């Protein structure tokens, strides 16, 4: 399920051969509307037709083969294994292909036609019917339809156009899980609710402090799916869901506390506190977020709820009921290993990756025995901020500007367009991008924006010449790609 916590090959003709480089250059010229685009694209042996909806740059496609959540000794892979250890009977799906249909990504989950998540400012399109998945829930209906197990876990790389800062990256990783029961088969119990309560009792106990002040069902804030579930069934499903996820939190933060104590002799082992907060998600009702009190603050860890029955009905398993959850692996790993910058997950620097290698050299299956170490950051290299100010193209639109048309289709300016150009030009050389000023001319009505681009390497100090050259390239690309006028 898509939740607010957050953060990749294209054995592809864009990056891996002489022909690829030709196609890549051709595609960049297409962004500038100077040349017709290629008609198809091949991603890891699968070919897709292209049309004017294509907005996925080569740099994003080149990350597909990385699959960090499966890379041995990578912090995201370790985090995945820690969570999976709490669901030993769940079927695992860790290698699902990231290119999915619009139907899988949006329609099967009930996204409205005008939902902002469908916008090309938020989503990477291959063509009008095909996208890079924006969440692991793109596979939810298909997994329910296959009905291979009562419980499942999906871990995958997901893709969204987003801000440039220490906690956001256009490729990040999610994990979701679900548990269902068949309401036709609850023998030897009197009711389905009794069968689920028996499963609750079979789960391990814990001794953490849990705050859960709200009723399971609230008619306005957290409604019952009255046409499909009884209150007794939902109480039992919610109890199983909450106990299962509390045990996940115990596992994760026990590792985190051990790591903190191992690197700081003065670190106190404060009792673990969690709380349940009412929430809203399109795929569940009732719904909750789970927060953990960690190092003096409440942190949102995951979202979850009772699965919308319409999803199960549409998937061809109307007899099943259950729960689902979703979380961002980067968010958990950054807490677990004290990693300060999401770019580090993509580092190939041995100094970073060697910190997570199992000392006994055992394979992934023994990863649960690994002694989690707190992340030791690289020395802090200095930042090199540069500002870029520009006028948006003239327009009467309240959005502030229209971009040059692609295939005759006007595109409204969106801040994510700036972020995309920054990533294409500078990649991981930029730590963050912030809007620092905006101005509307009182006579012309034109809008001016000023962004501060903070160049900072994770591995060395940039020279002024290097930063100036990158920034000048960025300024040029902003004018070419977005049609802005530099100030």
């Amino acid at each position: 399920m898509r939740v607010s916590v957050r953060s990749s090959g294209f054995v592809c003709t864009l990056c891996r051969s002489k022909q690829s480089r030709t196609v890549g250059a051709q595609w960049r010229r297409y962004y500038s509307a100077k040349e017709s685009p290629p008609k198809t694209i091949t991603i890891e042996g699968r070919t897709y037709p292209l049309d004017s909806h294509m907005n996925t740059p080569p740099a994003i496609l080149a990350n597909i083969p990385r699959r960090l959540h499966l890379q041995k000794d990578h912090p995201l892979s370790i985090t995945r294994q820690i969570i999976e250890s709490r669901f030993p009977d769940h079927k695992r799906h860790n290698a699902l292909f990231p290119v999915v249909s619009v139907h899988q990504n949006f329609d099967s989950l009930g996204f409205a036609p005008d939902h902002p998540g469908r916008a090309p400012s938020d989503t990477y399109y291959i063509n009008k019917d095909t996208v890079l998945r924006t969440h692991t829930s793109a596979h939810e209906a298909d997994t329910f339809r296959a009905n291979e197990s009562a419980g499942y876990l999906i871990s995958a790389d997901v893709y969204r156009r987003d801000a440039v800062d220490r906690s956001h990256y256009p490729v990040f990783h999610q994990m979701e899980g679900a548990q269902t029961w068949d309401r036709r088969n609850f023998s030897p119990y009197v009711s389905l609710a009794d069968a689920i309560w028996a499963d609750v009792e079979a789960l391990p106990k814990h001794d953490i402090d849990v705050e859960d002040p709200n009723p399971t069902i609230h008619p306005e804030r957290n409604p019952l799916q009255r046409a499909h579930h009884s209150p007794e069934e939902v109480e039992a499903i919610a109890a199983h869901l909450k106990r299962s996820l509390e045990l996940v939190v115990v596992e994760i933060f026990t590792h985190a506390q051990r790591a903190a104590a191992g690197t700081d002799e003065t670190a106190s082992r404060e009792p673990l506190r969690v709380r349940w907060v009412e929430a809203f998600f399109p795929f569940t009702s009732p719904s909750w977020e789970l927060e953990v009190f960690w190092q003096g603050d409440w942190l949102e860890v995951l979202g979850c709820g009772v699965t919308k029955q319409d999803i199960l009905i549409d998937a061809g398993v109307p007899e099943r009921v259950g729960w689902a959850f979703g979380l961002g692996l980067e968010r958990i790993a950054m807490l677990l290993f004290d990693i300060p910058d999401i770019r580090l997950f993509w580092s190939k620097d041995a100094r970073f990756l060697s910190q997570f290698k199992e000392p006994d050299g055992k394979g992934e299956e023994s990863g649960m025995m690994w002694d989690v170490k707190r992340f030791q950051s690289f020395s802090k290299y200095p930042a090199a901020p540069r500002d870029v100010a520009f006028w948006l193209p003239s327009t009467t639109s309240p959005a502030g500007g229209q971009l040059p048309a692609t295939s005759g289709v006007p595109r409204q300016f969106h801040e994510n367009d700036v972020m995309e150009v920054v990533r294409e030009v500078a990649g991981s050389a930029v730590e963050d991008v912030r809007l620092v000023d905006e101005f509307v001319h009182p006579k012309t009505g034109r809008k001016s924006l000023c962004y501060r681009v903070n160049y900072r390497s994770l591995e060395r100090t940039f020279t002024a010449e290097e930063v100036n050259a990158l920034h000048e390239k960025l300024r040029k690309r902003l004018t070419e790609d977005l049609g802005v006028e530099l100030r």
Side-chain angles (χ1 to χ4, degrees):
M1 56 188 295
R2 182 177 180 178
V3 298
S4 58
V5 281
R6 335 227 319 192
S7 101
S8 301
F10 197 49
V11 179
C12 153
T13 52
L14 288 186
C15 308
R16 301 291 174 144
S17 67
K18 182 176 180 181
Q19 178 188 10
S20 314
R21 291 191 293 273
T22 302
V23 175
Q26 195 174 21
W27 196 249
R28 189 177 298 286
R29 287 194 292 273
Y30 169 53
Y31 282 152
S32 302
K34 294 179 180 177
E35 188 172 316
S36 297
K39 297 184 188 304
T40 63
I41 195 169
T42 300
I43 304 173
E44 294 196 321
R46 307 185 191 196
T47 300
Y48 302 90
L50 298 175
D51 59 25
S52 62
H53 287 71
M54 172 61 165
N55 68 343
T56 308
I60 295 299
L61 294 166
N63 281 326
I64 290 176
R66 297 287 300 276
R67 293 179 173 87
L68 302 183
H69 64 296
L70 299 179
Q71 183 178 320
K72 187 178 183 299
D73 296 327
H74 193 282
L76 292 178
S77 180
I78 294 167
T79 303
R80 168 184 60 80
Q81 293 174 74
I82 290 172
I83 299 170
E84 286 177 344
S85 72
R86 297 310 317 165
F87 299 99
D89 298 328
H90 282 48
K91 184 176 179 60
R92 300 171 187 178
H93 304 273
N94 292 333
L96 297 170
F97 200 64
V99 181
V100 299
S101 68
V102 168
H103 176 81
Q104 288 173 300
N105 202 73
F106 298 119
D107 300 335
S108 70
L109 297 164
F111 279 75
D114 59 349
H115 192 282
R118 294 178 181 260
S121 60
D122 284 18
T123 296
Y124 289 112
Y125 280 81
I126 303 299
N127 56 48
K128 66 181 179 66
D129 299 316
T130 312
V131 299
L132 292 180
R133 63 184 166 220
T134 64
H135 47 195
T136 50
S137 296
H139 305 287
E140 185 174 278
D142 292 337
T143 307
F144 280 136
R145 185 175 295 108
N147 200 20
E148 296 176 331
S149 58
Y152 70 78
L153 296 172
I154 296 174
S155 299
D157 43 339
V158 298
Y159 302 76
R160 292 185 210 162
R161 301 179 89 224
D162 211 334
V164 177
D165 59 41
R166 290 187 181 189
S167 61
H168 291 84
Y169 201 79
V171 189
F172 57 105
H173 299 76
Q174 287 185 337
M175 174 182 278
E176 77 169 65
Q179 172 78 43
T180 61
W181 292 266
D182 189 335
R183 63 166 61 254
R184 302 169 305 179
N185 181 18
F186 47 78
S187 177
Y189 300 96
V190 175
S191 67
L192 175 64
D194 288 341
I196 298 173
W197 277 115
D199 287 345
V200 174
E201 289 303 311
L203 291 172
K205 306 295 192 296
H206 62 70
D207 58 359
I208 61 174
D209 179 13
V210 179
E211 299 178 24
D212 193 7
N214 298 306
T216 302
I217 300 165
H218 189 281
E220 286 86 32
R221 301 192 309 263
N222 234 354
L224 172 73
Q225 300 174 57
R226 194 168 297 279
H228 304 292
H229 305 147
S230 70
E232 293 76 17
E233 290 169 344
V234 168
E235 290 288 350
I237 293 171
H240 193 279
L241 165 65
K242 290 180 177 180
R243 173 79 64 79
S244 299
L245 296 180
E246 288 161 7
L247 291 167
V248 168
V249 165
V250 169
E251 190 73 25
I252 291 169
F253 284 88
T254 296
H255 281 80
Q257 287 175 329
R258 187 188 309 152
T263 57
D264 182 1
E265 294 181 357
T266 65
S268 63
R269 184 158 183 161
E270 59 180 312
L272 190 60
R273 296 167 55 196
V274 304
R275 69 182 181 188
W276 290 100
V277 180
E278 292 174 331
F280 170 81
F281 301 113
F283 330 124
T284 56
S285 185
S287 303
W288 301 274
E289 290 174 348
L290 180 58
E291 297 182 345
V292 175
F293 194 76
W294 177 249
Q295 297 181 350
D297 199 6
W298 285 102
L299 302 176
E300 176 196 340
V301 175
L302 56 83
C304 61
V306 178
T307 304
K308 285 282 185 72
Q309 200 63 27
D310 288 344
I311 294 175
L312 293 161
I313 293 171
D314 293 343
V317 285
E319 70 282 357
R320 303 200 74 86
V321 298
W323 55 254
F325 77 90
L327 56 81
L329 285 175
E330 275 85 351
R331 177 66 182 276
I332 303 299
M334 290 175 85
L335 294 171
L336 182 57
F337 300 106
D338 199 19
I339 294 176
D341 193 313
I342 198 170
R343 293 176 295 166
L344 280 165
F345 290 116
W346 296 91
S347 175
K348 296 180 181 179
D349 192 310
R351 294 175 299 167
F352 173 72
L353 296 174
S354 64
Q355 296 181 83
F356 308 99
K357 190 174 182 62
E358 294 177 55
D360 60 2
K362 294 180 181 178
E364 181 171 302
E365 289 305 311
S366 64
M368 294 306 99
M369 301 299 295
W370 184 77
D371 185 15
V372 180
K373 294 182 293 185
R374 192 176 188 185
F375 172 70
Q376 299 169 0
S377 62
F378 298 156
S379 25
K380 198 64 175 176
Y381 297 102
R386 297 290 189 276
D387 289 353
V388 56
F390 51 80
W391 295 103
L392 292 177
S394 298
T395 178
T396 57
S397 165
Q402 265 189 356
L403 302 186
T406 299
S407 299
V409 180
R411 297 179 292 136
Q412 293 296 330
F413 171 84
H414 192 284
E415 185 173 87
N416 283 348
D417 295 309
V418 175
M419 304 297 172
E420 199 67 43
V421 175
V422 171
R423 291 193 193 278
E424 278 291 282
V425 170
S428 61
V430 172
E431 181 177 73
D432 59 66
V433 179
R434 294 183 295 111
L435 180 66
V436 293
D437 187 44
E438 58 181 305
F439 167 75
V440 177
H441 195 285
K443 292 184 179 179
T444 66
R446 292 187 72 186
K447 178 181 282 190
S448 169
L449 302 175
C450 179
Y451 285 90
R452 180 155 298 155
V453 184
N454 200 32
Y455 297 90
R456 191 201 299 264
S457 172
L458 294 168
E459 300 172 358
R460 62 183 179 85
T461 298
F462 283 138
T463 66
E465 291 76 13
E466 287 176 311
V467 173
N468 290 340
L470 267 179
H471 197 62
E472 187 55 39
K473 185 178 180 182
L474 171 62
R475 285 164 53 86
K476 182 179 179 182
R477 280 288 303 276
L478 286 170
T479 62
E480 291 176 349
D481 291 10
L482 305 185
V484 300
E485 180 185 338
L486 295 174
R487 292 186 63 189

